[in-house]
Amino acid sequence: MQRGVLVTGGAGYIGSHTTVELIKAGFEVVIVDNFSNSDISSLDGIERITGVRPTFVEADCCDKEALRRVFEAHDFQSVIHFAAYKAVGESVAEPMKYYRNNLLSFMNIVELMQEYKRPNIVFSSSATVYGDAETLPVTEQTPRKPATSPYGNTKQMAEDILRDVTAACEGIVGIALRYFNPIGAHPTANIGELPRGVPNNLVPYITQTAAGVRECLSIFGDDYDTPDGSCQRDFIDIVDLARAHVVAIERMLAGKNRARYEIFNVGTGHPVSVFELVNGFEAANNLKLNVRIAARREGDVPAVWADTTHANNELGWRAERALDDTLRAAWAWERKVRGIE
Ligand code: UDP
């Protein structure tokens, strides 16, 4: 079916928001997820927002036979592959867990796409491939830096696999989306991020601190060579990011791609510092956070943000949501999760 999409990891943070946007755009979604870092409640959230409950298969994408049954049973033309582990620190401690899971699941998907003649794939890549870039903002031509974690390496390796497969196999077209820093939640507060344990990422840590779950937010470094001394990132609203997947799929279905493998940065194009983000969260939500300055976190680059010209021009996509709306949505979601009025 032309407008069928297989979404691996569709119960997760980015996957659930993308599923909503796909359904709104008239796609029929089949989700495969093993709930390794997600919750079945996100399917209820998707249904509340769209009125549609996507077809769901509980399976691990490393289990090729389980995945094969999905390809046998469902007639989609496109795949969006989100299913992967994403904790940088954990990947350093347990590299094989990351190489096995992230690469095997991706290779299974690509092999089955070849076997079952399903032509289109969007791969979730990351700005981490740019490392500590020499020039900012980064374009898609900015050279990748050697990965500094097994997690980052799985993203680079999967990009390379996709480049090689699309070069060798006429039947496969791929788009790698390099995400910057996705934040926020659906404005209806029906879906959002559900980090397990202590959050690694800034915004979940902020919202949990605001909710009283964490005592104090640590700012990792105020002595960087940046305008205010804290790191700068390109924080992109999760719904804007989700929409980029829909336009990527539409592009491939319409045959508008200019090559069988394309790469797009998905960011706002604007740097925001950690201090600016924290202050913005406090102002948007009219509250005060308990904050302390801590040592730099190993592996953090001082600054990275996207040049989004390629996505703007070629996909006709740009980030639209205002940062304070995004930060209000993040807090509304945390309150809902915690039952705070
Ligand atoms: N950060 C922070 N305190 C936290 C979590 C993150 O100061 O509790 C900083 C981190 O050092 C980085 C920025 O926030 O400069 C974004 O970090 P995050 O882990 O969200 O994303 P990353 O850019 O590392 O993928």
Side-chain angles (χ1 to χ4, degrees), residues 181 200-202 205 217-220 231 233 274 297 300:
N181 288 60
N200 287 312
N201 296 115
L202 180 59
Y205 210 104
L217 170 72
S218 295
I219 308 245
F220 297 140
C231 292
R233 293 289 184 273
V274 174
R297 184 173 70 177
D300 279 342

Side-chain angles (χ1 to χ4, degrees), residues 3-230:
R3 293 187 79 75
V5 183
L6 173 66
V7 179
T8 74
Y13 176 45
I14 306 179
S16 59
H17 289 81
T18 299
T19 297
V20 165
E21 297 307 309
L22 285 166
I23 292 170
K24 281 168 62 180
F27 287 94
E28 253 180 57
V29 176
V30 179
I31 290 177
V32 173
D33 202 301
N34 65 353
F35 300 127
S36 71
N37 189 27
S38 60
D39 195 278
I40 196 156
S41 62
S42 63
L43 302 179
D44 303 330
I46 292 167
E47 186 174 2
R48 278 196 299 274
I49 297 166
T50 63
V52 176
R53 194 168 186 88
T55 304
F56 174 74
V57 179
E58 185 169 351
D60 185 335
C61 293
C62 291
D63 180 347
K64 192 167 182 183
E65 289 318 304
L67 213 47
R68 177 184 299 284
R69 289 193 286 277
V70 177
F71 276 75
E72 285 281 349
H74 301 281
D75 184 22
F76 43 83
Q77 288 288 293
S78 308
V79 178
I80 308 181
H81 182 57
F82 292 109
Y85 295 150
K86 62 175 184 180
V88 176
E90 184 186 54
S91 80
V92 174
E94 295 178 75
M96 285 316 296
K97 178 173 170 180
Y98 275 68
Y99 287 119
R100 168 164 289 279
N101 184 66
N102 291 8
L103 296 178
L104 189 57
S105 61
F106 181 65
M107 292 190 293
N108 283 342
I109 287 286
V110 171
E111 283 177 347
L112 288 166
M113 287 175 65
Q114 289 181 287
E115 194 179 326
Y116 286 85
K117 302 204 180 334
R118 311 298 169 85
N120 307 321
I121 179 163
V122 176
F123 173 66
S124 297
S125 190
S126 166
T128 191
V129 303
Y130 297 116
D132 191 3
E134 252 109 74
T135 52
L136 293 169
V138 292
T139 74
E140 291 79 359
Q141 278 72 49
T142 299
R144 296 186 324 191
K145 285 283 177 72
T148 55
S149 71
Y151 161 77
N153 213 12
T154 64
K155 293 297 175 191
Q156 297 211 1
M157 292 164 92
E159 281 194 355
D160 292 345
I161 291 169
L162 191 54
R163 178 200 61 205
D164 295 346
V165 169
T166 52
C169 171
E170 292 218 355
I172 306 274
V173 174
I175 291 180
L177 298 180
R178 289 179 176 160
Y179 308 147
F180 282 69
N181 288 60
I183 61 166
H186 198 268
T188 62
N190 281 301
I191 51 174
E193 198 168 2
L194 286 169
R196 296 208 170 148
V198 182
N200 287 312
N201 296 115
L202 180 59
V203 169
Y205 210 104
I206 288 175
T207 57
Q208 289 195 8
T209 306
V213 179
R214 309 280 156 209
E215 230 168 73
C216 181
L217 170 72
S218 295
I219 308 245
F220 297 140
D222 68 346
D223 56 353
Y224 283 97
D225 185 16
T226 55
D228 66 17
S230 66

